[in-house]
Amino acid sequence: MNDFTRTNPAAPRARDLGVPFDGDPGRWNAITDVPGVEVGFATIVEDAPAVARTGVTAILPRGRNAAGVPCAAGIAVLNGNGELTGRSWIEEAGQFQTPIAITNSHAVGAVHRGVDVRLAHNDPVTAAQWMLPVVGETWDGYLNEINADTVRPEHAIAALDAATTGPIAEGNVGGGTGMNCYGFKGGTGTASRVVRSGTNTWTVGVLLQANFGSRTELRVAGRPLGPRSLAPNPMETTDWFERDTGTAAHATAGAGSVIVVVATDAPLLPGQCEALARRVPLGLARTGTTGSHFSGDIFLAFSTANRGGLSSRMTGGDIAVERLEHVAWGSIDPFFAAVVEATEEAVLNALVAARDTVGRDGHASYALPHEEIRQAFASS
């Protein structure tokens, strides 16, 4: 089944099971609470000719009608065993002006090409100069035949075409379809926080692809639900990796990756976006991870404010001067808190929304049981 539609987000979320969280979420408690941000998915679930449990997640920072308008941006890395294309330009110029896509580790090239094709069709002025799509990845080879080239450029195009605002499906959807987290089924998760000051209101939203952490690490609001869970954990307890590789090497618990995208409509400088990205690991740590050597943990934060600023176009004319509005550094702490809180909740939303999945060679991944969560917080 190739699902190019926007999946109906009907699954319960962590809050629905009694998990307490800090902060004030936006209307949808999603990255799409940031005005203009749109998200779409292409979900690929097939058993022939190859077993596919994979897909593409697409984020349009300013919506489909302004894909080439720059956003201030910054990147941070907790552990570098992963990939995010376009990173060099973001570090150089403090901005990017393409969609963002997330997929599996071996599909980055196909998705990158798909974003190029769509931009060339829909924004020929941008395409005539240069395009540096931002494409991140995490490894889904336990459930998905990752070397089968299942993801093609048209899947990236379909995810971009499906992007819209509103509530977002989570768990087994888009790039998160075949992912695992803390020894449970993982995938796509999102959350948001509202920052208020006087008459001003801004939103910080997070979307992540959760594919990290070992079963013994998972904490839910401080409770060690991972070690206590009765759910099977074949990814960490069977010899599938030995059979795959023909060696005595055992799969390392906690190996995997997480790509986190932080969006805000608050006016921020590129260095301030980078500072927000550096706070993502604090939210991840609340859920228990210590950051595996075999995990690619890469974070991108961007601001949709200052539209028209940070431009980068060949003009050949007079030198242009721009001015950017930005939150004073001394007032930025509430935005740091929003990133930490939304990141923690997005991870747990991914775990709660995920569903038991059987993939290639009968490999199974089991979701975090909802009843275990309810029981842990029944007396809270």
Side-chain angles (χ1 to χ4, degrees):
M1 175 187 67
N2 286 328
D3 183 4
F4 296 147
T5 63
R6 184 166 168 274
T7 304
N8 181 27
R13 309 184 79 188
R15 287 173 180 258
D16 300 327
L17 304 181
V19 181
F21 293 102
D22 298 327
D24 182 14
R27 176 183 177 186
W28 295 304
N29 197 11
I31 195 172
T32 45
D33 286 316
V34 178
V37 175
E38 297 176 352
V39 175
F41 303 104
T43 300
I44 309 170
V45 178
E46 301 174 345
D47 292 323
V51 176
R53 305 288 186 269
T54 193
V56 181
T57 300
I59 303 170
L60 295 173
R62 297 186 183 277
R64 68 183 65 253
N65 296 321
V69 179
C71 290
I75 287 175
V77 177
L78 175 63
N79 195 69
N81 195 352
E83 180 64 87
L84 184 75
T85 69
R87 176 179 168 186
S88 294
W89 178 242
I90 292 171
E91 292 175 341
E92 175 72 23
Q95 58 101 312
F96 70 100
Q97 52 199 57
T98 70
I100 303 164
I102 318 174
T103 187
N104 78 59
S105 301
H106 298 182
V108 171
V111 172
H112 194 283
R113 180 58 185 152
V115 176
D116 278 344
V117 169
R118 187 182 184 278
L119 280 174
H121 183 266
N122 291 280
D123 190 359
V125 174
T126 295
Q129 298 180 77
W130 73 85
M131 297 181 290
L132 295 170
V134 178
V135 182
E137 54 77 27
T138 64
W139 187 84
D140 60 11
Y142 173 70
L143 292 170
N144 176 53
E145 290 190 13
I146 196 169
N147 293 316
D149 290 332
T150 302
V151 179
R152 300 182 299 277
E154 53 261 39
H155 293 108
I157 295 169
L160 290 164
D161 287 343
T164 186
T165 188
I168 297 174
E170 298 173 291
N172 304 12
V173 64
T177 301
M179 302 303 167
N180 303 278
C181 185
Y182 288 120
F184 299 98
K185 182 67 185 70
T188 302
T190 190
S192 69
R193 291 295 184 271
V194 176
V195 177
R196 295 184 174 87
S197 178
T199 59
N200 293 316
T201 299
W202 299 281
T203 302
V204 175
V206 167
L207 184 142
L208 53 79
Q209 190 161 291
N211 190 53
F212 68 99
S214 66
R215 177 68 66 89
T216 59
E217 291 179 320
L218 177 63
R219 302 294 186 270
V220 177
R223 290 166 170 79
L225 265 61
R228 296 175 182 174
S229 179
L230 299 179
N233 186 14
M235 189 175 182
E236 294 183 1
T237 60
T238 66
D239 64 350
W240 67 272
F241 191 72
E242 291 92 324
R243 286 183 276 110
D244 275 5
T245 62
T247 70
H250 191 73
T252 300
S257 298
V258 58
I259 298 292
V260 183
V261 178
V262 179
T264 184
D265 59 346
L268 299 180
L269 299 170
Q272 293 176 314
C273 291
E274 181 181 343
L276 260 63
R278 289 199 303 268
R279 268 60 187 184
V280 168
L282 301 178
L284 298 177
R286 288 188 177 191
T287 67
T289 184
T290 54
S292 169
H293 168 71
F294 294 103
S295 188
D297 310 327
I298 307 174
F299 321 122
L300 166 67
F302 67 85
S303 167
T304 61
N306 290 306
R307 179 168 176 148
L310 291 169
S311 60
S312 180
R313 285 286 185 263
M314 300 176 185
T315 62
D318 294 336
I319 292 175
V321 176
E322 296 179 346
R323 291 175 175 82
L324 301 178
E325 182 182 43
H326 66 92
V327 171
W329 276 104
S331 299
I332 203 167
D333 282 357
F335 298 95
F336 291 166
V339 171
V340 174
E341 293 165 1
T343 299
E344 176 191 18
E345 187 165 4
V347 172
L348 298 176
N349 281 338
L351 287 166
V352 167
R355 292 292 177 266
D356 296 351
T357 302
V358 177
R360 68 170 184 91
D361 298 327
H363 293 176
S365 182
Y366 295 90
L368 176 61
H370 291 185
E371 191 55 35
E372 292 182 356
I373 303 174
R374 290 191 181 95
Q375 290 177 359
F377 296 96
S379 58
S380 298

